[in-house]
Amino acid sequence: MTVRNVIILGSGPAGLTAAVYTARADLLPLVIEGLGAGGQLMLTTEVENYPGFPEGIIGPELMERFRAQAERFGAEYLTIDADRVDFSSRPFRIWAGGQEYQAEAVIVSTGASALMLGLESEQRLLGHGVSTCATCDGFFFRDQEIAVIGGGDSAMEEAIFLTKFATKVTVIHRRDELRASKIMQDRAFANPKIEFRWNTVVDDVIGNGKVEALALRDIETGSTCDLEVGGMFVAIGHTPNTALFHGQLDLDPNGYVVTYDGTMRTSVDGVFACGDVQDHVYRQAITAAGTGCMAAIEAERWLEAQAHGKHHG
């Protein structure tokens, strides 16, 4: 069996940037890109904050460009999901689609998934008024009324950020108090553009081609009403895609891969992690790409050091 220099798991901005760098270093990376190839950017329509695209670019097109760039330098792709990994000894072993693949180094960039409400209408209108990222999409809701779903710090951050653009932001929370930290709560309560709907859930997103209103239900009284909004931001958290790595890599209490000392190194020597699978703070395409570059450079240097060790040993 051929042992690859490096296998990259995942193909969002982090994995594909790692692919560009490792490919240009002649490491001939194999990218197991998964069925959800392209990551969370595939769910966005316009990306206006990625440097170098003054006119903006469609999320899927940006990912297609990343992919083509890595391919040009010799990256190879498998559009299947990895089923299982074994990082207990080298070469590392990865199973995907019933096949086993081996590599000297592995870069984990499986990303995170935004938690959603689970409504059919929400899926249908994703990117058409339904969003999971205020910093990505807030700008498109200038002078509109919008809703934010959630009660934690990220929901408050999104709501406060959105008041820059919206005429009114309604926070919809299923409980009668917020989970957010005191400081974030105080900021949100003090903002005149933010209103709160307590003990309330969204039963449906109404709109033909774009969000027009939300069907709300008070969980205490059972009474229902429609709230007219131009957009709905779901901020009920993210879950890192790390089921594969339980028992293989150190994960933090929320399931993110732990990286050490400001590097992309994980708890296993020779395995690196980048992008949203290890970053729950910034979660931007550009920061993911930056960490993908870091992981690739670290993997390249690590492989180099291993090779020298062999020659001298």
Side-chain angles (χ1 to χ4, degrees):
M1 174 176 299
T2 1
V3 178
R4 301 271 178 165
N5 293 312
V6 61
I7 288 178
I8 297 167
L9 293 168
S11 60
L16 293 178
T17 301
V20 169
Y21 274 79
T22 50
R24 289 195 73 229
D26 278 342
L27 295 174
L28 299 170
L30 174 66
V31 182
I32 299 180
E33 61 179 354
L35 296 171
Q40 293 186 87
L41 273 194
M42 302 306 277
L43 306 177
T44 62
T45 41
E46 282 286 324
V47 178
E48 287 193 333
N49 54 9
Y50 202 88
F53 296 93
E55 307 301 313
I57 183 169
I58 305 290
E61 190 194 338
L62 183 61
M63 287 301 86
E64 188 42 53
R65 290 188 181 198
F66 271 52
R67 196 177 184 278
Q69 192 168 353
E71 199 162 31
R72 184 186 140 206
F73 297 118
E76 219 181 301
Y77 296 95
L78 278 178
T79 313
I80 44 178
D81 287 336
D83 314 314
R84 186 159 71 86
V85 300
D86 181 357
F87 294 160
S88 59
S89 61
R90 286 207 306 274
F92 301 119
R93 301 159 75 197
I94 294 163
W95 288 265
Q99 292 281 330
E100 182 184 329
Y101 300 88
Q102 296 188 355
E104 293 296 343
V106 171
I107 294 175
V108 171
S109 51
T110 47
S113 305
L115 296 170
M116 302 293 281
L117 301 174
L119 304 168
E120 182 277 324
S121 53
E122 171 189 52
Q123 284 303 323
R124 185 167 40 89
L125 294 165
L126 197 57
H128 300 281
V130 173
S131 172
T132 56
C133 177
T135 42
C136 315
D137 299 330
F139 185 80
F140 305 117
F141 295 90
R142 196 174 277 291
D143 300 328
Q144 295 187 43
E145 295 194 2
I146 48 189
V148 171
I149 319 301
D153 274 353
S154 62
M156 293 314 103
E157 275 168 29
E158 305 257 287
I160 292 163
F161 178 81
L162 290 167
T163 59
K164 291 184 187 172
F165 309 106
T167 49
K168 183 170 117 184
V169 176
T170 305
V171 172
I172 297 164
H173 188 39
R174 57 167 46 248
R175 301 216 295 272
D176 59 359
E177 58 179 15
L178 300 170
R179 287 192 320 278
S181 59
K182 178 90 172 68
I183 186 164
M184 290 306 294
Q185 291 199 35
D186 291 348
R187 273 187 209 160
F189 289 141
N191 192 310
K193 281 189 174 180
I194 299 179
E195 285 186 16
F196 291 84
R197 293 282 182 105
W198 306 105
N199 300 314
T200 300
V201 292
V202 178
D203 279 343
D204 199 15
V205 187
I206 302 159
N208 195 3
K210 66 181 184 55
V211 174
E212 287 155 26
L214 306 181
L216 302 182
R217 176 167 49 89
D218 184 311
I219 54 177
E220 297 209 310
T221 66
S223 67
T224 59
C225 68
D226 287 355
L227 176 69
E228 282 189 28
V229 289
M232 174 178 91
F233 286 79
V234 184
I236 54 177
H238 285 75
T239 179
N241 302 324
T242 50
L244 277 180
F245 312 114
H246 284 270
Q248 300 281 341
L249 296 174
D250 284 357
L251 306 177
D252 76 7
N254 294 317
Y256 289 86
V257 175
V258 179
T259 49
Y260 293 92
D261 306 326
T263 70
M264 300 293 111
R265 290 197 314 256
T266 67
S267 54
V268 173
D269 202 24
V271 178
F272 305 86
C274 52
D276 288 12
V277 76
Q278 55 85 49
D279 164 30
H280 45 84
V281 180
Y282 302 105
R283 291 203 292 259
Q284 298 297 304
I286 184 123
T287 47
T291 57
C293 160
M294 290 163 71
I297 290 173
E298 286 170 22
E300 183 193 349
R301 288 178 181 163
W302 183 84
L303 286 165
E304 187 91 353
Q306 299 302 307
H308 281 302
K310 277 186 190 143
H311 296 158
H312 298 118

